[in-house]
Amino acid sequence: MVIECIGLPGSGKTYLMAHLEEEIRKNGVRCVNASDRSMNRVSWKAARKLLHAGIFLERNARRLRTRMEKALRAESQAHSQYGIYKDERYTLESAAVFRLVYRRMMRSDTVYLFDEGLVHAVVKFCADFVLQEETFLKLMEAAESGISGKRLVVYNAISQDSCFASLRKRNRHICDFDELPDDALRGILREYARLNTAYENSHKVVTVRREEEIDDKTGRIMEALNKRGLLR
């Protein structure tokens, strides 16, 4: 199965997934932190690059690109507002890669964790391009089509002011957001919050808050997993 986390940059998604991994393993379930491995292990990095390079050779991936490009064309002036992306190419590739690996992982008894998965990839792009909510939801509908099995999306919510303060406290470059001036950073955080809320309102997600104790958050997620029979 797949568990992915969404939320504003700096909201603690990686921290939450690391603790959730420990909790799942305590329950005797095999768990793999896929985001951590794809960032830190050479073999996973190489596999990710290969998938990105050749993803549109796969028929279903080409169909996905067509659907997503059609949704984007509805936005007459779609272009990057904050300089995170030059165009939609990387997002289309990422969505196709995630859908491909999700289709296999969601049928597995192993739990795969993503602190930045399919939903986050589309949210980040749509926030940078300041796309309408309707367009975002159409892109998500296309990206999530054709995948079935066990999957849970966790929304680690944080206020925009708290997130802004957290990002500005960082003393090193972690992502592109660290290079944005204050007004641009506040702008893209508003877009992130708007799109995450749109996804939360239209899908069954488990919402936790950054300020909650980590044990309370992981406990609520585990409760949701058990109630929905996702760990069986």
Side-chain angles (χ1 to χ4, degrees):
M1 73 164 295
V2 168
I3 302 175
E4 61 176 298
C5 192
I6 62 173
L8 275 64
S11 61
K13 298 185 295 295
T14 302
Y15 180 72
L16 175 58
M17 289 294 101
H19 280 269
L20 182 60
E21 179 183 9
E22 293 179 7
E23 195 64 31
I24 291 172
R25 287 181 173 174
K26 285 180 184 176
N27 283 261
V29 178
R30 186 169 184 268
C31 186
V32 174
N33 192 326
S35 291
D36 179 63
R37 292 197 180 187
S38 66
M39 289 296 294
N40 297 309
R41 295 195 181 185
V42 174
S43 59
W44 282 62
K45 285 182 180 180
R48 186 178 61 180
K49 288 183 178 180
L50 286 172
L51 281 171
H52 266 272
I55 186 63
F56 289 123
L57 296 175
E58 203 250 345
R59 183 178 60 183
N60 288 326
R62 293 198 300 272
R63 289 176 178 172
L64 172 61
R65 178 173 62 182
T66 299
R67 285 190 64 182
M68 294 184 78
E69 285 177 341
K70 183 178 179 180
L72 283 170
R73 295 293 82 81
E75 296 263 357
S76 58
Q77 296 181 341
H79 61 277
S80 174
Q81 300 290 321
Y82 298 99
I84 306 299
Y85 295 107
K86 292 182 180 179
D87 55 46
E88 67 268 21
R89 179 184 59 81
Y90 185 80
T91 298
L92 296 180
E93 290 176 0
S94 296
V97 168
F98 276 122
R99 194 173 73 159
L100 179 66
V101 298
Y102 275 18
R103 289 170 71 178
R104 296 186 175 127
M105 291 176 174
M106 288 166 65
R107 295 192 293 266
S108 171
D109 291 332
T110 299
V111 178
Y112 294 90
L113 303 179
F114 291 87
D115 56 48
E116 293 185 354
L118 174 61
V119 182
H120 179 88
V122 180
V123 166
K124 184 177 181 180
F125 168 73
C126 291
D128 181 42
F129 274 51
V130 192
L131 298 182
Q132 296 178 26
E133 181 178 317
E134 180 183 1
T135 302
F136 162 67
L137 292 176
K138 285 182 179 179
L139 289 173
M140 284 309 315
E141 181 182 2
E144 293 178 322
S145 65
I147 56 175
S148 62
K150 296 180 178 180
R151 175 172 171 239
L152 182 72
V153 178
V154 177
Y155 179 20
N156 194 31
I158 184 175
S159 74
Q160 294 173 51
D161 286 341
S162 295
C163 186
F164 178 85
S166 176
L167 291 173
R168 281 298 178 246
K169 284 180 182 177
R170 297 202 299 215
N171 58 6
R172 66 192 189 280
H173 177 88
I174 295 178
C175 66
D176 294 327
F177 295 91
D178 295 313
E179 303 301 318
L180 293 174
D182 287 0
D183 58 341
L185 179 58
R186 288 191 181 277
I188 199 167
L189 290 180
R190 283 196 299 271
E191 293 303 311
Y192 254 82
R194 174 177 68 88
L195 297 169
N196 281 321
T197 299
Y199 189 86
E200 178 189 27
N201 290 337
S202 58
H203 294 74
K204 292 181 179 180
V205 307
V206 175
T207 302
V208 296
R209 298 204 63 82
R210 165 72 181 271
E211 61 268 20
E212 293 179 70
E213 293 293 333
I214 189 65
D215 289 343
D216 292 338
K217 291 196 285 189
T218 56
R220 286 172 55 200
I221 296 168
M222 292 298 295
E223 182 180 1
L225 289 168
N226 287 318
K227 278 186 176 180
R228 300 182 191 186
L230 294 176
L231 289 182
R232 296 171 192 166

